[in-house]
Amino acid sequence: MDLQRLLVALVETSRRHALLVVLAGLLLATLCGLYAVRHLGVSTDTDLLFSERLPWRQRATAFQREFPQFQNLLVGVIDARIPEEADSTAAALVAKLAADHAHFHAAWQPDALPFFARSAFLFLDTGQLTALLNSIIDAQPFLGQLVADPSARGLFAALALVAMGVQQGQANLAPFEPALNAFHQALAAAAGGHPQPLSWETLLAGSLVSQAGQYRFVLAQPTLDYTVLQPGGAATQAFRDAAAGLDFVKSGDARVRITGAVALSDEEFATVAQGIIVGTIGSVVLITVWLLLAVGSWRLIVPIILTLLLGLLLTIGFATVAVGTLNLISVAFAVLFVGIAVDFAIQFCVRYRGMRLQHPDPARALAETTHRVGIQILVAAAATACGFYAFVPTLFSGVAELGLIAGTGMVIAFLCTLIFLPAALSLFRPKGETAEIGFRRGAALDALLSRHRGPVLALFAGLALAGALLLPRLTFDSDPLHVKDPNTESMRTLRDLMDNPLTNPYSIDILEPSVEQAGAIAARMRTLPLVAESLTLLSFVPQDQPAKLAMIADAANILGPTLAAREPAAPVTPEQLRLAIGAALGQIQPVLGKLPAGHPLAAIAADLKRLAGAPDAQLLAMDAALTRFLPMQIDRLRQALGAAPVTLGDLPPALTRDWVLPDGRARVQVLAKPEARGSRGLNEFVGQVQSVAPTAGGPAVWIVETAASIFAAFRTAAIGALLAITAILFLALRRPLDVALVLAPLLLSGLLTALLAVLLPLPLNFANIIALPLLLGVGVSFNIYFVMNWREGGRDFLGSATARAVVFSALTTGTAFGSLTLSRHPGTASMGDLLLLSLLCTLLASLIFVPTLLSGLRPPASQ
């Protein structure tokens, strides 16, 4: 064969000029490495992973352009002992972040607009508003004393008034017991030397406080640097530093956690990198052991490693020229290159060892090795390259770029194996062999499989059928959160938010031509089974305003004089506090006999007795804590009682801009019920919404569309790869039967992988699906070696040097990728799991099914 002679001549030329070839290779590798260091970039921008030609990407890009305030956010989630501490912490944090122009473009608190404080009562339903206003009116005497003197002195005077009412039989304390209990707890803490601010918001609003939710949110748009692994890393650290310096955070009364798209991505990249570093160290050690067992000498191991490094650096050089900037998926080309290219080098070296046994002369052994294995490696490299190149035309840009680089890497690996490796072997001069290279018990296993050929093939046929039947049950987990480390701060925080539809990240956005049409669509959305709520700008215009405004006006007339602002009272002194305590005790103690046992007023009296003898500093600290948030809450009450009618035109521009574009188009946000979690629920939720609004977008839609695009890309690539590989096999083997003998075990290994993935279960996801091209490449390579040996008359399958090379190639590849299973990152770990599973199935097909199948067939050489 002309091509075979050409390859032999190429290896012979390389051997004759070994030193020149090795030096040239090392020089070229150095130049490529230096060029890549200066010109090759890595972008962690996930928007680059899919082509802009995809309709959903176009809609997503348009939405990001129209609503930039929702993109690339860090979200501070604040919870505290009392609501006021959370509000105060959020406000202070916004002030700090907004002043940090080096790390943040903007920072804001979405629920802290003055509009919400002014219209707070209007957003309550009529029943809630009636109960709240009545309770405030009932507390009017108490409030009047506090407005006149917003200090602990005023509070004690107010408590004295309560006791006077009991003494006169004019006070029913039952409605006030929650407030009295709160006073007791605050006074007891102060008496114990641990004063804590009192929640006047809870005292005034009662259970309605829970409607505001447990959390307060601070949104920040950070400055991102896509040239580093964590683009928002510096901004996130600045966010943490700002939060750590806040009063209530330092005291432990408030907690600030960070989540949002930027934090989730950054922590994911850090987790993946950590897993890769740990896995790489372990892999290098084990791969060295496997290479030593495979080739038996450092004089062969070093040439293999040098060949891999040369090929890798040349491939990096190609990537630098071809794409310039790697994305989050194409950066994995190095792992794929090493995992497959090592097979070529091991095959050549193990077969070379076998030839050294027959031909002690190294030059003759190299020529014979090339004669036997050169075409096999060429076909394997070409088939594997086609498998990768098949991804290039797809709209999954991340994998398309990976396919271009990895496919070219296979070509480079082949050239390095046939040019550089022989030269390196000539220089390192490995010693000759004295024993057979294959496995000693391989011949016995071949005989065993041949004797039980029928049952073994029947078993594999049954397993293949089971895999085909279960294939439809192989699931794809489209939830991107399932491939993230659940133990990171951003993920733990997000999990805490998911039970509330308002904070669940899986929402859908719809754009309508006008606010009125948005309202109509929102009404239709509320009828869908998986929709919890749908919001528009109209959602911020309160309902039943005339009745509510009348109620508020009546309450304002009653409470107005009581709440009117007054001249600030004189600063309180410790002695005045002791006098106030004494006066309060003088009123409370006489009425304790009229109260049931265990009444909170009795506990308050005990607290006051303890405080009466407290040092001055302790009394002043108590005063500051008890009334710290009182003036703020009285002011909020005044604002809420001054409510005015609200129309669309009255809504603040900062709120309107989140819902209406300058051209009048209006946003509808559709929130999902908890049942919409998981891949199936999310798909059903999106399907229901898109049945009404086909152009809907938003996070839930992008997740579903992303999964569909990935599936489409892999389906297209799989068909293209199989066609291309089949064409190459026909060119190389020329007989349909021989082509089928290579493809049949490939199909079998795929079905076995599907069978085990369903049974374990091991669903496909956004991370591990990238392992499928490797299965294709490794499977084709292993099968080609055995089939081409059989074509040349070889009947010794498992005892051959080929089998040894395949086993140790699989071990090195399995070690390289299997170490990923130890990663803390679930996506990376699942990729390692699938790789190991598919590699195991490939080995079963190549080392058991193929020898069994070929043992009963006559090779073309004997026909």
Side-chain angles (χ1 to χ4, degrees), residues 710-728:
I710 291 175
F711 252 39
F714 275 85
R715 182 175 60 248
T716 301
I719 295 172
L722 286 174
L723 291 175
I725 289 171
T726 302
I728 289 173

PDB file of all heavy atoms in Angstrom, residues 710-728:
ATOM      1  N   ILE A 710     -28.538  22.114  23.279  1.00  0.00           N
ATOM      2  CA  ILE A 710     -27.476  21.137  23.507  1.00  0.00           C
ATOM      3  C   ILE A 710     -27.858  19.797  22.895  1.00  0.00           C
ATOM      4  O   ILE A 710     -27.047  19.151  22.213  1.00  0.00           O
ATOM      5  CB  ILE A 710     -27.195  20.998  25.014  1.00  0.00           C
ATOM      6  CG1 ILE A 710     -26.545  22.282  25.545  1.00  0.00           C
ATOM      7  CG2 ILE A 710     -26.298  19.802  25.296  1.00  0.00           C
ATOM      8  CD1 ILE A 710     -26.352  22.286  27.050  1.00  0.00           C
ATOM      9  N   PHE A 711     -29.091  19.382  23.121  1.00  0.00           N
ATOM     10  CA  PHE A 711     -29.548  18.120  22.555  1.00  0.00           C
ATOM     11  C   PHE A 711     -29.473  18.155  21.032  1.00  0.00           C
ATOM     12  O   PHE A 711     -29.021  17.188  20.393  1.00  0.00           O
ATOM     13  CB  PHE A 711     -30.985  17.840  23.001  1.00  0.00           C
ATOM     14  CG  PHE A 711     -31.074  16.735  24.007  1.00  0.00           C
ATOM     15  CD1 PHE A 711     -30.130  16.599  25.009  1.00  0.00           C
ATOM     16  CD2 PHE A 711     -32.106  15.817  23.963  1.00  0.00           C
ATOM     17  CE1 PHE A 711     -30.199  15.585  25.942  1.00  0.00           C
ATOM     18  CE2 PHE A 711     -32.189  14.788  24.894  1.00  0.00           C
ATOM     19  CZ  PHE A 711     -31.238  14.677  25.885  1.00  0.00           C
ATOM     20  N   ALA A 712     -29.929  19.252  20.451  1.00  0.00           N
ATOM     21  CA  ALA A 712     -29.911  19.375  18.986  1.00  0.00           C
ATOM     22  C   ALA A 712     -28.480  19.326  18.456  1.00  0.00           C
ATOM     23  O   ALA A 712     -28.200  18.679  17.431  1.00  0.00           O
ATOM     24  CB  ALA A 712     -30.595  20.670  18.559  1.00  0.00           C
ATOM     25  N   ALA A 713     -27.572  19.999  19.160  1.00  0.00           N
ATOM     26  CA  ALA A 713     -26.179  20.013  18.724  1.00  0.00           C
ATOM     27  C   ALA A 713     -25.577  18.617  18.777  1.00  0.00           C
ATOM     28  O   ALA A 713     -24.894  18.183  17.834  1.00  0.00           O
ATOM     29  CB  ALA A 713     -25.366  20.975  19.599  1.00  0.00           C
ATOM     30  N   PHE A 714     -25.828  17.904  19.855  1.00  0.00           N
ATOM     31  CA  PHE A 714     -25.254  16.567  19.981  1.00  0.00           C
ATOM     32  C   PHE A 714     -25.915  15.583  19.016  1.00  0.00           C
ATOM     33  O   PHE A 714     -25.257  14.688  18.514  1.00  0.00           O
ATOM     34  CB  PHE A 714     -25.369  16.081  21.424  1.00  0.00           C
ATOM     35  CG  PHE A 714     -24.237  16.543  22.294  1.00  0.00           C
ATOM     36  CD1 PHE A 714     -24.271  17.786  22.902  1.00  0.00           C
ATOM     37  CD2 PHE A 714     -23.114  15.758  22.480  1.00  0.00           C
ATOM     38  CE1 PHE A 714     -23.223  18.232  23.686  1.00  0.00           C
ATOM     39  CE2 PHE A 714     -22.065  16.188  23.262  1.00  0.00           C
ATOM     40  CZ  PHE A 714     -22.110  17.428  23.869  1.00  0.00           C
ATOM     41  N   ARG A 715     -27.194  15.774  18.762  1.00  0.00           N
ATOM     42  CA  ARG A 715     -27.858  14.903  17.796  1.00  0.00           C
ATOM     43  C   ARG A 715     -27.275  15.127  16.401  1.00  0.00           C
ATOM     44  O   ARG A 715     -26.936  14.171  15.683  1.00  0.00           O
ATOM     45  CB  ARG A 715     -29.358  15.172  17.799  1.00  0.00           C
ATOM     46  CG  ARG A 715     -30.148  14.271  16.851  1.00  0.00           C
ATOM     47  CD  ARG A 715     -31.641  14.493  16.982  1.00  0.00           C
ATOM     48  NE  ARG A 715     -32.010  15.868  16.679  1.00  0.00           N
ATOM     49  CZ  ARG A 715     -32.468  16.729  17.579  1.00  0.00           C
ATOM     50  NH1 ARG A 715     -32.595  16.360  18.845  1.00  0.00           N
ATOM     51  NH2 ARG A 715     -32.788  17.964  17.231  1.00  0.00           N
ATOM     52  N   THR A 716     -27.142  16.384  16.012  1.00  0.00           N
ATOM     53  CA  THR A 716     -26.567  16.703  14.704  1.00  0.00           C
ATOM     54  C   THR A 716     -25.131  16.213  14.597  1.00  0.00           C
ATOM     55  O   THR A 716     -24.726  15.617  13.588  1.00  0.00           O
ATOM     56  CB  THR A 716     -26.612  18.230  14.482  1.00  0.00           C
ATOM     57  OG1 THR A 716     -27.966  18.673  14.543  1.00  0.00           O
ATOM     58  CG2 THR A 716     -26.010  18.599  13.132  1.00  0.00           C
ATOM     59  N   ALA A 717     -24.361  16.460  15.661  1.00  0.00           N
ATOM     60  CA  ALA A 717     -22.956  16.047  15.642  1.00  0.00           C
ATOM     61  C   ALA A 717     -22.821  14.532  15.614  1.00  0.00           C
ATOM     62  O   ALA A 717     -21.942  13.993  14.920  1.00  0.00           O
ATOM     63  CB  ALA A 717     -22.236  16.616  16.854  1.00  0.00           C
ATOM     64  N   ALA A 718     -23.677  13.837  16.353  1.00  0.00           N
ATOM     65  CA  ALA A 718     -23.598  12.370  16.390  1.00  0.00           C
ATOM     66  C   ALA A 718     -23.870  11.783  15.006  1.00  0.00           C
ATOM     67  O   ALA A 718     -23.161  10.873  14.549  1.00  0.00           O
ATOM     68  CB  ALA A 718     -24.590  11.825  17.409  1.00  0.00           C
ATOM     69  N   ILE A 719     -24.887  12.312  14.339  1.00  0.00           N
ATOM     70  CA  ILE A 719     -25.199  11.817  12.988  1.00  0.00           C
ATOM     71  C   ILE A 719     -24.047  12.117  12.041  1.00  0.00           C
ATOM     72  O   ILE A 719     -23.592  11.251  11.273  1.00  0.00           O
ATOM     73  CB  ILE A 719     -26.505  12.452  12.482  1.00  0.00           C
ATOM     74  CG1 ILE A 719     -27.683  11.982  13.348  1.00  0.00           C
ATOM     75  CG2 ILE A 719     -26.741  12.106  11.020  1.00  0.00           C
ATOM     76  CD1 ILE A 719     -28.986  12.704  13.055  1.00  0.00           C
ATOM     77  N   GLY A 720     -23.553  13.359  12.098  1.00  0.00           N
ATOM     78  CA  GLY A 720     -22.441  13.731  11.221  1.00  0.00           C
ATOM     79  C   GLY A 720     -21.191  12.925  11.513  1.00  0.00           C
ATOM     80  O   GLY A 720     -20.483  12.497  10.585  1.00  0.00           O
ATOM     81  N   ALA A 721     -20.903  12.698  12.794  1.00  0.00           N
ATOM     82  CA  ALA A 721     -19.715  11.936  13.169  1.00  0.00           C
ATOM     83  C   ALA A 721     -19.812  10.496  12.685  1.00  0.00           C
ATOM     84  O   ALA A 721     -18.847   9.942  12.135  1.00  0.00           O
ATOM     85  CB  ALA A 721     -19.526  11.977  14.683  1.00  0.00           C
ATOM     86  N   LEU A 722     -20.967   9.884  12.878  1.00  0.00           N
ATOM     87  CA  LEU A 722     -21.122   8.496  12.439  1.00  0.00           C
ATOM     88  C   LEU A 722     -20.987   8.371  10.922  1.00  0.00           C
ATOM     89  O   LEU A 722     -20.360   7.430  10.417  1.00  0.00           O
ATOM     90  CB  LEU A 722     -22.476   7.950  12.902  1.00  0.00           C
ATOM     91  CG  LEU A 722     -22.580   7.627  14.400  1.00  0.00           C
ATOM     92  CD1 LEU A 722     -24.000   7.234  14.763  1.00  0.00           C
ATOM     93  CD2 LEU A 722     -21.600   6.516  14.773  1.00  0.00           C
ATOM     94  N   LEU A 723     -21.548   9.326  10.204  1.00  0.00           N
ATOM     95  CA  LEU A 723     -21.421   9.289   8.737  1.00  0.00           C
ATOM     96  C   LEU A 723     -19.962   9.467   8.322  1.00  0.00           C
ATOM     97  O   LEU A 723     -19.464   8.744   7.442  1.00  0.00           O
ATOM     98  CB  LEU A 723     -22.290  10.378   8.110  1.00  0.00           C
ATOM     99  CG  LEU A 723     -23.811  10.180   8.222  1.00  0.00           C
ATOM    100  CD1 LEU A 723     -24.552  11.392   7.657  1.00  0.00           C
ATOM    101  CD2 LEU A 723     -24.244   8.909   7.494  1.00  0.00           C
ATOM    102  N   ALA A 724     -19.286  10.419   8.938  1.00  0.00           N
ATOM    103  CA  ALA A 724     -17.887  10.666   8.582  1.00  0.00           C
ATOM    104  C   ALA A 724     -17.007   9.487   8.957  1.00  0.00           C
ATOM    105  O   ALA A 724     -16.127   9.067   8.180  1.00  0.00           O
ATOM    106  CB  ALA A 724     -17.395  11.943   9.263  1.00  0.00           C
ATOM    107  N   ILE A 725     -17.215   8.946  10.165  1.00  0.00           N
ATOM    108  CA  ILE A 725     -16.417   7.799  10.606  1.00  0.00           C
ATOM    109  C   ILE A 725     -16.668   6.598   9.707  1.00  0.00           C
ATOM    110  O   ILE A 725     -15.729   5.868   9.331  1.00  0.00           O
ATOM    111  CB  ILE A 725     -16.747   7.473  12.074  1.00  0.00           C
ATOM    112  CG1 ILE A 725     -16.182   8.569  12.992  1.00  0.00           C
ATOM    113  CG2 ILE A 725     -16.176   6.117  12.475  1.00  0.00           C
ATOM    114  CD1 ILE A 725     -16.630   8.444  14.431  1.00  0.00           C
ATOM    115  N   THR A 726     -17.926   6.409   9.346  1.00  0.00           N
ATOM    116  CA  THR A 726     -18.247   5.292   8.440  1.00  0.00           C
ATOM    117  C   THR A 726     -17.539   5.461   7.102  1.00  0.00           C
ATOM    118  O   THR A 726     -16.990   4.497   6.544  1.00  0.00           O
ATOM    119  CB  THR A 726     -19.770   5.203   8.236  1.00  0.00           C
ATOM    120  OG1 THR A 726     -20.406   5.035   9.511  1.00  0.00           O
ATOM    121  CG2 THR A 726     -20.131   4.045   7.326  1.00  0.00           C
ATOM    122  N   ALA A 727     -17.530   6.691   6.591  1.00  0.00           N
ATOM    123  CA  ALA A 727     -16.858   6.945   5.314  1.00  0.00           C
ATOM    124  C   ALA A 727     -15.357   6.653   5.417  1.00  0.00           C
ATOM    125  O   ALA A 727     -14.759   6.038   4.519  1.00  0.00           O
ATOM    126  CB  ALA A 727     -17.096   8.395   4.888  1.00  0.00           C
ATOM    127  N   ILE A 728     -14.748   7.087   6.513  1.00  0.00           N
ATOM    128  CA  ILE A 728     -13.312   6.838   6.704  1.00  0.00           C
ATOM    129  C   ILE A 728     -13.041   5.342   6.812  1.00  0.00           C
ATOM    130  O   ILE A 728     -12.068   4.821   6.240  1.00  0.00           O
ATOM    131  CB  ILE A 728     -12.819   7.586   7.957  1.00  0.00           C
ATOM    132  CG1 ILE A 728     -12.792   9.088   7.680  1.00  0.00           C
ATOM    133  CG2 ILE A 728     -11.439   7.104   8.369  1.00  0.00           C
ATOM    134  CD1 ILE A 728     -12.479   9.922   8.895  1.00  0.00           C
TER     135      ILE A 728
END
